[in-house]
Amino acid sequence: MKKSLIVILVLLAVATFSTGVMAQRYVVGTNASFPPFEYVEDGEIVGFDIDLVKEIAKLQGFEVEVRDISFDSLIPGLASGSLDMVAAGMTITADREKVIDFSDPYYSANQSVLVHEESDANLTVLFGNHDVGVQTGTTGDTWVRDNLLEDEILTGELRNYDSYVFVIRDLANGNIDAAVLDKPVAETYSQNNPVNVVAEIITGEEYGIAVGEGNEELLAEINAGLEKVKNNGTMEKLIQKYFE
Ligand code: ARG
């Protein structure tokens, strides 16, 4: 009786101790159709952002589990608590800042116009009766709505997609005339698909890692890790790995 009590106490102590030292695990949301920031390779979610959060996690002593969901579900996921953070090449915007919080910026980008490589279209493909593809909920989507659709500069269809993989497929098949998306990603797609970047739209965007509104503790961890990654040469290595 006494012996078993001791065994139980020891087991309890071990259990308490191990949970005490077990690293905090955070769920990271992304949309893995955005190479080289996040994409699926051999069934795994990989890319610049994934390496970046894993590096930050290692430096700050927490663990991450990455989930691939549609881009427009990422912000609701933070709000509902099903996601702890978002690493998705997400642009820091005033509208988003109202509902979520962003880390310090880690990458700058503009929008761009992508067409079929055999098309002789240029920037003017965005004017008139053409069909343009975007990913739902992105800054490219908003840009086309606000600048082209509202003023009826674009009179064709704005086609919304959950995944850029399907935007590129429809562009390659000739189902749409153009796509508007972040330039680094458009350039990456143009390396392995029959599509070309024909114009850049200077939007001056900056990407940040997002957390739920008011989650200051996690945000401080992310910013501290990000700072280290920038200062210890890792950021430069990641840029070389994915962009050169
Ligand atoms: N930077 C753009 C935005 O924030 C596009 C991001 C798309 N990211 C993705 N992982 N699909 O709206």
Side-chain angles (χ1 to χ4, degrees), residues 52 55 73 111 160 180-181 203 209-210 222 233:
L52 180 62
E55 195 60 34
S73 301
Q111 292 299 303
N160 278 86
V180 172
L181 71 162
T203 49
I209 297 168
I222 295 170

Side-chain angles (χ1 to χ4, degrees), residues 31 34 38 71 88-91 96 135 138-139 164 182 205 207:
N31 172 261
F34 203 59
E38 42 270 341
F71 188 78
M90 189 179 270
T91 304
R96 290 174 181 163
Q135 185 178 45
T138 58
T139 47
Y164 279 119
D182 302 42
E205 297 173 50
Y207 299 166

Side-chain angles (χ1 to χ4, degrees), residues 46-165:
V46 295
F48 181 98
D49 287 341
I50 310 306
D51 282 2
L52 180 62
V53 276
K54 285 189 176 160
E55 195 60 34
I56 292 172
K58 199 172 80 189
L59 290 165
Q60 298 306 116
F62 57 82
E63 281 171 11
V64 290
E65 174 193 329
V66 181
R67 276 194 208 152
D68 183 17
I69 61 175
S70 72
F71 188 78
D72 64 344
S73 301
L74 293 171
I75 293 176
L78 285 177
S80 74
S82 65
L83 301 175
D84 296 302
M85 57 178 119
V86 164
M90 189 179 270
T91 304
I92 304 169
T93 70
D95 272 346
R96 290 174 181 163
E97 292 264 29
K98 287 181 198 154
V99 288
I100 56 175
D101 289 338
F102 283 100
S103 71
D104 296 331
Y106 65 88
Y107 202 87
S108 308
N110 288 317
Q111 292 299 303
S112 67
V113 183
L114 204 52
V115 301
H116 195 283
E117 68 181 6
E118 272 151 29
S119 151
D120 49 19
N122 55 31
L123 167 70
T124 57
V125 71
L126 298 183
F127 312 157
N129 188 16
H130 296 113
D131 296 333
V132 177
V134 294
Q135 185 178 45
T136 305
T138 58
T139 47
D141 183 8
T142 310
W143 191 89
V144 173
R145 276 173 210 285
D146 291 354
N147 295 281
L148 303 175
L149 273 190
E150 265 186 20
D151 302 333
E152 288 171 39
I153 293 169
L154 177 69
T155 53
E157 249 182 76
L158 175 65
R159 298 255 187 98
N160 278 86
Y161 297 81
D162 275 346
S163 167
Y164 279 119
V165 170

